[in-house]
Amino acid sequence: MKTLKTILVTAGGTAGHTLPALELSNELVKRNYKVIFITDTRMFAFVNKNNKYKDIKVLCFHGRGLYKNKYFKNIKSIVLLILAILQSFRVIYFYRPLLAYGFGGGITIPPLWICNLFKIPIILHEGNMIVGKANKFLSTYAKVLTTFFPRMEGNIHKNVQKKCVGMPVRSSIEDIYKNKYIIKNNELIKILITGGSLGAEVMATKVAKALSCFPKDLLNKIFIIQQVRKENIIYVKNLYDNASIQYKLESYIENFSECLNWCHLIICRSGAGTIAENLISGKPSIMIPLPTSSDNHQMKNALMIKDMGAGWIVSDNELSDQKQLIIKLKHIIFNKPILYEAAKLAKKNAIIGSSVYLADIGQKLIKGNN
């Protein structure tokens, strides 16, 4: 029986890092590579139990970043870092991968640093407008830094080659690209509201409240599917029931691709994965950047989409002023010409087939190394 050649893929334990890395991993499996996937404790259980990734060897490393002025926590972080380095050496020595990919996050540093010691070529992928700390450090050792956006902020090593390849997304979302954006006459405006993997408090306490305060003649013109934290479901349900809005609430949206295909507009955060899915599906977006995102990268991401004309940003001032928020939401939701234009510009700026591009770049590196 022929032994499969091995490629290592590693990503930090957030959906924004991990899900694109897994899409690439599946593409590599299709090309008859054995994929060793390393993540941390936050996403390990999700990946390991998901049948979609059954052909990928998933490993969990216990690591985390350093904390400002948290000395005792940092002692534990350093111990975990040393452990992750030892784990990395063992895994890489045993599997001897031909190539390694890193998708950002602190946990990617130990295995990719060890890969460099073994002279294994490294490809990094940066999903955000601002290069992350891990990728910034690892760019010293990488052959190629691939990006989602055509331009990027942040210092990286001068010798690393940069290529814009877009963002790997699920095939079920890439399938939406071919569908035509249309709002039929007398059709309800279908709004999908998300907020990251666990929902977002602001979508319930600010956005849902603003929507429920629309004038009565507009309330019967919208249908909402909303991801809501379990602790907020009753509150949002009461808001929409009292306003007689048609809605469906989910604590976790299982059939996300179907919901994205269904909607005319998405109200969301502005992580790189979310933005990529919006562009490829051709859906206009109202973005509420996560204010605590590192280096404020979600705001930078959102500004890029706004500049493209594919979406709008809700500012902190607008969130704090309900009257102002209602006016802005009304202006966007019931203005079909600007929704059509934003949908067109979203698709115009989308990159399809990113997993294939990334895999192709890797195969060229492997051939060049042989």
Side-chain angles (χ1 to χ4, degrees):
M1 185 176 178
K2 186 178 178 181
T3 303
L4 298 180
K5 295 177 179 178
T6 300
I7 293 177
L8 184 142
V9 180
T10 178
T14 66
H17 288 136
T18 304
L19 295 181
L22 288 168
E23 292 307 312
L24 168 66
S25 298
N26 276 337
E27 175 63 27
L28 294 170
V29 168
K30 288 179 191 175
R31 299 185 185 203
N32 294 319
Y33 289 101
K34 179 181 180 64
V35 175
I36 307 300
F37 189 89
I38 297 173
T39 188
D40 61 36
T41 53
R42 292 172 293 172
M43 287 293 287
F44 174 72
F46 166 80
V47 178
N48 202 39
K49 71 181 181 182
N50 194 318
N51 197 49
K52 183 181 176 182
Y53 310 120
K54 60 183 174 60
D55 295 322
I56 300 168
K57 175 69 174 176
V58 185
L59 302 175
C60 179
F61 282 15
H62 296 263
R64 66 186 192 189
L66 297 174
Y67 301 84
K68 188 175 181 180
N69 298 325
K70 301 284 184 181
Y71 301 109
F72 291 108
K73 278 191 172 184
N74 285 337
I75 290 171
K76 184 175 181 180
S77 294
I78 291 168
V79 171
L80 291 174
L81 175 63
I82 294 169
L83 177 61
I85 290 171
L86 294 173
Q87 286 178 297
S88 299
F89 186 88
R90 179 177 174 273
V91 167
I92 291 156
Y93 181 80
F94 181 78
Y95 288 105
R96 298 298 176 103
L98 298 174
L99 176 71
Y101 288 88
F103 278 73
I107 203 64
T108 66
I109 292 176
L112 294 183
W113 183 66
I114 296 295
C115 281
N116 176 65
L117 296 181
F118 278 83
K119 307 298 183 186
I120 298 165
I122 297 167
I123 298 172
L124 302 175
H125 185 266
E126 181 55 60
N128 292 303
M129 266 289 297
I130 301 178
V131 62
K133 293 180 179 66
N135 280 346
K136 192 180 295 186
F137 172 79
L138 290 165
S139 68
T140 302
Y141 311 111
K143 297 284 188 182
V144 183
L145 175 69
T146 60
T147 66
F148 167 29
F149 292 108
R151 61 183 176 84
M152 184 185 64
E153 297 180 12
N155 296 322
I156 58 171
H157 196 272
K158 62 182 180 181
N159 292 334
V160 68
Q161 184 182 4
K162 295 191 286 282
K163 291 186 178 183
C164 178
V165 300
M167 176 72 80
V169 301
R170 289 163 280 185
S171 58
S172 58
I173 289 176
E174 286 206 340
D175 289 342
I176 303 172
Y177 182 81
K178 63 181 180 290
N179 297 340
K180 187 176 180 180
Y181 182 86
I182 187 166
I183 307 172
K184 298 175 183 176
N185 291 334
N186 301 317
E187 184 180 13
L188 297 179
I189 302 296
K190 300 168 184 173
I191 305 167
L192 176 62
I193 304 176
T194 65
S197 58
L198 297 175
E201 188 85 16
V202 69
M203 302 298 181
T205 58
K206 304 288 187 180
V207 175
K209 189 173 182 181
L211 292 170
S212 66
C213 291
F214 279 1
K216 287 185 178 181
D217 63 322
L218 297 180
L219 289 170
N220 62 359
K221 294 183 179 181
I222 58 177
F223 191 114
I224 298 168
I225 293 180
Q226 183 164 351
Q227 181 187 10
V228 185
R229 290 179 178 179
K230 290 179 180 179
E231 59 266 32
N232 297 134
I233 283 181
I234 294 174
Y235 174 78
V236 176
K237 182 179 185 301
N238 288 337
L239 281 177
Y240 290 160
D241 283 341
N242 292 335
S244 298
I245 294 175
Q246 294 189 57
Y247 70 92
K248 182 180 179 182
L249 304 182
E250 302 276 4
S251 58
Y252 179 76
I253 299 176
E254 293 281 353
N255 57 339
F256 185 78
S257 302
E258 291 178 24
C259 291
L260 193 56
N261 187 40
W262 164 87
C263 76
H264 298 120
L265 173 69
I266 180 167
I267 302 176
C268 55
R269 293 297 196 190
S270 50
T274 297
I275 285 176
E277 291 172 346
N278 296 346
L279 293 179
I280 288 171
S281 62
K283 301 299 179 176
S285 57
I286 298 175
M287 297 164 289
I288 303 175
L290 179 67
T292 56
S293 61
S294 60
D295 299 319
N296 202 23
H297 70 259
Q298 285 211 7
M299 177 57 78
K300 294 283 187 178
N301 294 348
L303 286 169
M304 176 67 84
I305 301 306
K306 181 185 176 185
D307 290 345
M308 290 174 182
W312 303 268
I313 299 172
V314 171
S315 68
D316 289 340
N317 288 339
E318 289 166 330
L319 272 180
S320 302
D321 185 333
Q322 188 182 65
K323 185 177 179 181
Q324 200 177 356
L325 181 58
I326 291 169
I327 291 170
K328 181 157 192 171
L329 292 175
K330 279 197 304 180
H331 171 69
I332 297 169
I333 291 169
F334 301 104
N335 192 332
K336 289 185 182 180
I338 68 170
L339 291 177
Y340 273 102
E341 182 64 14
K344 181 180 77 173
L345 291 169
K347 280 193 178 179
K348 182 180 178 181
N349 287 282
I351 298 176
I352 300 294
S354 297
S355 297
V356 173
Y357 295 155
L358 271 166
D360 287 346
I361 292 169
Q363 285 191 310
K364 286 179 183 176
L365 266 185
I366 291 172
K367 286 179 183 177
N369 251 32
N370 290 338

